[in-house]
Amino acid sequence: MNKLRFIFALYSAKAILVIMRLLGRNASHFPGEIAIKICPDFLKQLKKPETLIAVTGTNGKTTVSNLLTSILKINGYKVTNNGFGSNIREGVATTLLEYTNLACRPKNKLAVLEVDERSSVHIFPYMKPDYLVCNNIMRDSLKRNAHTEFITFIINKALPAETKVILNADDIICSSLGPDNHDRIYFGLDIDKPEGNVKQHVKDMVYCPKCGGKLEADYIRYNHIGRMHCCSCDFASPQPDYLVTGLDRDNETFTVSHGGKEETYHLINDNIVNVYNFCGVVAVLTELGLSSEEISKGLAQAKIVKTRYDRLKSGNMNITMQLSKGQNPIACTRCFSYAAGCPGDEKQVIIIIDDKEDNSGNSESVCWLYECDYSYLNDPSIKRIIFAGPRCKDHYLRAQMAGVNKDIIKITDSFTGGVDLLDPDYLDDIYVLYDPYIIKEAMEVKEQLIELGKRSM
């Protein structure tokens, strides 16, 4: 009876998937939801690909997952991936059934699946990953992810001990995942080290998780990302197996040291957050068995999805589109820092970081703004800042508290109204930072900027 229920769930969900695609609807979640409602242990019964790579963590899941998939495909692998779908249980179910044939067998031998941290407890018990890569664990939306201790507890509770874990050695929280997993690989960076320990506005790890003593930082890049050790016991950041030892921004390359050898690869983006992403990708692919030549070939052709990062030129205007995860203070802080630190002395920044869903008949907490470091926007290279969207006044207030000059700030409650507020004297470098829930509006702003660039030639 249970087998019949599974088969009925599979074919019903497949039919729904086909119908939704024919209607032009997003079919990344609902078919899997129906399958699980019909057959609660659907994921358990579904036959899996031979090799499963799971990608989780607070920031960078989609970038890493999509890059892994892209590089594998460039090298001839057939890959099951939820790059355009949901990363929770129902979305993973939809992806797997989409790549399951009518004989109930997986079409591909390899799967790269992005897995939401909280959903790992609903996924890993039914499909044990052979590899788990995690780039970071840090504070995220309070309403979704609570705090880092909660997230690590959830992942550790679900993570099979036989999974090979590939972890960021420079994240003292992330690197402690899977304490029962003996097959451990670490990656990290040995470049762009801060000269001193600049006090961080927010830090997610202060005390030693082993003895409760005070952690001392050798250096900190941002938040708690860097190298640390405990003053009272032997707890410390682990030594990386894969280490970025060189970064050539002019020639767009980065060098990874592993096993006594150094390999140089194409640098898709020089944001330090993405350098961690790329190093993690190299580590996973190497552990999977790809050669450095195959990885190099893939990175030379791969790109970050343009809805997450895009840089283009229109007329004399340089336009940078950067996804900035709203209600995630660390992600937003890094985007502010990136825009401020990029070359150029006359920049303008349009900030559309607003959760549209929370503005629809709901009460939204804006406390996360006060964990986000707006002081990076107080940079002399930034000549104008435009906060766009219904929460523009909240952003304006927070920027004022961070000491940003109010004379360079403009606000509009329209998501797409920021272009009209640009200063015509500074149209060389425009940065647009936008929330994942308003990509459509951000792309409209992008088109407005392209037209403005053409007119300003």
Side-chain angles (χ1 to χ4, degrees):
M1 180 62 71
N2 203 27
K3 184 66 174 177
L4 290 175
R5 176 176 286 189
F6 167 75
I7 293 172
F8 179 66
L10 177 69
Y11 285 108
S12 298
K14 271 190 165 292
I16 293 170
L17 180 64
V18 171
I19 292 170
M20 290 184 71
R21 291 281 165 80
L22 289 174
L23 293 174
R25 301 285 298 277
N26 184 347
S28 65
H29 179 91
F30 186 64
E33 181 181 359
I34 294 300
I36 291 170
K37 282 184 177 180
I38 296 172
C39 180
D41 64 346
F42 181 79
L43 274 178
K44 181 179 180 180
Q45 293 199 52
L46 192 65
K47 291 184 178 179
K48 319 299 189 304
E50 291 179 7
T51 303
L52 288 172
I53 302 171
V55 182
T56 196
T58 307
N59 298 313
K61 293 187 292 290
T62 301
T63 296
V64 170
S65 176
N66 288 346
L67 275 178
L68 286 171
T69 301
S70 177
I71 295 169
L72 286 165
K73 287 183 175 179
I74 287 168
N75 282 286
Y77 291 82
K78 294 182 178 180
V79 185
T80 295
N81 174 245
N82 60 339
F84 298 101
S86 169
N87 60 12
I88 62 176
R89 178 182 59 173
E90 292 78 5
V92 169
T94 299
T95 298
L96 291 175
L97 71 87
E98 182 178 6
Y99 288 93
T100 297
N101 61 28
L102 295 177
C104 299
R105 297 185 180 279
K107 296 178 182 178
N108 301 325
K109 294 183 178 181
L110 178 62
V112 177
L113 298 173
E114 177 184 336
V115 176
D116 176 77
E117 306 93 284
R118 289 182 308 157
S119 296
S120 59
V121 73
H122 302 298
I123 295 173
F124 293 162
Y126 303 113
M127 41 180 298
K128 297 179 179 181
D130 299 284
Y131 302 86
L132 173 75
V133 57
C134 182
N135 260 15
N136 48 68
I137 298 290
M138 53 186 66
R139 67 184 61 193
D140 199 351
S141 167
L142 287 173
K143 71 175 186 179
R144 291 194 293 262
N145 283 5
H147 47 77
T148 57
E149 290 88 349
F150 171 70
I151 293 303
T152 53
F153 169 77
I154 288 291
I155 296 175
N156 285 336
K157 181 179 178 181
L159 184 62
E162 58 268 31
T163 296
K164 175 180 280 192
V165 291
I166 300 172
L167 309 171
N168 185 350
D170 294 348
D171 182 334
I172 200 75
I173 302 174
C174 169
S175 61
S176 300
L177 282 177
D180 297 329
N181 296 65
H182 298 293
D183 207 350
R184 312 175 68 82
I185 299 295
Y186 299 105
F187 61 91
L189 273 56
D190 195 34
I191 46 89
D192 282 10
K193 293 180 182 178
E195 293 181 2
N197 288 321
V198 179
K199 185 177 181 180
Q200 297 294 302
H201 182 71
V202 173
K203 189 184 292 185
D204 283 318
M205 178 65 83
V206 178
Y207 298 106
C208 175
K210 184 176 179 180
C211 74
K214 184 178 179 181
L215 286 175
E216 183 174 309
D218 302 317
Y219 61 86
I220 294 291
R221 285 195 171 88
Y222 62 92
N223 194 17
H224 61 273
I225 306 299
R227 306 292 296 175
M228 296 187 186
H229 66 271
C230 179
C231 299
S232 304
C233 72
D234 61 354
F235 182 78
S237 300
Q239 292 303 311
D241 301 287
Y242 294 82
L243 186 65
V244 176
T245 55
L247 186 66
D248 187 337
R249 290 184 167 89
D250 292 333
N251 293 307
E252 298 182 338
T253 64
F254 70 104
T255 301
V256 177
S257 174
H258 168 63
K261 297 181 179 179
E262 288 192 335
E263 301 290 346
T264 299
Y265 303 100
H266 172 60
L267 180 67
I268 303 171
N269 176 270
D270 67 348
N271 189 331
I272 204 72
V273 173
N274 275 323
V275 179
Y276 276 109
N277 290 337
F278 303 150
C279 188
V281 165
V282 170
V284 174
L285 294 173
T286 304
E287 294 299 315
L288 192 61
L290 272 71
S291 67
S292 58
E293 290 77 16
E294 289 174 315
I295 298 171
S296 183
K297 173 186 173 183
L299 281 170
Q301 299 179 44
K303 298 181 182 298
I304 296 176
V305 178
K306 288 194 174 184
T307 53
R308 293 190 163 261
Y309 176 85
D310 192 17
R311 185 167 175 81
L312 63 150
K313 195 173 183 70
S314 179
N316 297 319
M317 182 189 296
N318 297 309
I319 304 168
T320 301
M321 306 291 298
Q322 175 73 62
L323 188 78
S324 186
K325 197 174 176 184
Q327 301 194 24
N328 182 314
I330 309 305
C332 289
T333 297
R334 298 321 304 157
C335 288
F336 296 163
S337 173
Y338 180 70
C342 281
D345 297 323
E346 298 179 343
K347 307 168 194 167
Q348 298 191 70
V349 184
I350 300 175
I351 298 174
I352 326 172
I353 304 173
D354 204 326
D355 192 332
K356 187 167 62 174
E357 298 297 322
D358 273 1
N359 278 318
S360 304
N362 198 344
S363 98
E364 177 186 1
S365 170
V366 295
C367 63
W368 70 273
L369 297 179
Y370 298 90
E371 293 187 331
C372 186
D373 193 349
Y374 282 64
S375 65
Y376 285 102
L377 298 174
N378 195 20
D379 188 277
S381 70
I382 298 176
K383 303 304 181 183
R384 176 157 293 181
I385 300 164
I386 300 163
F387 294 118
R391 292 295 180 202
C392 61
K393 292 180 180 178
D394 291 297
H395 288 283
Y396 176 81
L397 174 62
R398 178 66 186 92
Q400 288 280 281
M401 294 176 68
V404 180
N405 180 4
K406 67 179 181 179
D407 294 334
I408 70 170
I409 301 176
K410 299 292 181 181
I411 62 173
T412 171
D413 60 6
S414 168
F415 286 126
T416 58
V419 174
D420 293 335
L421 298 177
L422 289 170
D423 188 330
D425 293 332
Y426 304 110
L427 293 178
D428 290 339
D429 294 290
I430 311 296
Y431 291 80
V432 182
L433 312 181
Y434 54 95
D435 190 272
Y437 292 100
I438 51 174
I439 288 177
K440 179 181 177 182
E441 291 83 353
M443 294 306 107
E444 185 177 332
V445 171
K446 177 181 175 180
E447 292 303 317
Q448 291 180 34
L449 288 170
I450 291 172
E451 289 302 313
L452 178 62
K454 291 176 181 177
R455 294 197 305 269
S456 62
M457 288 180 64

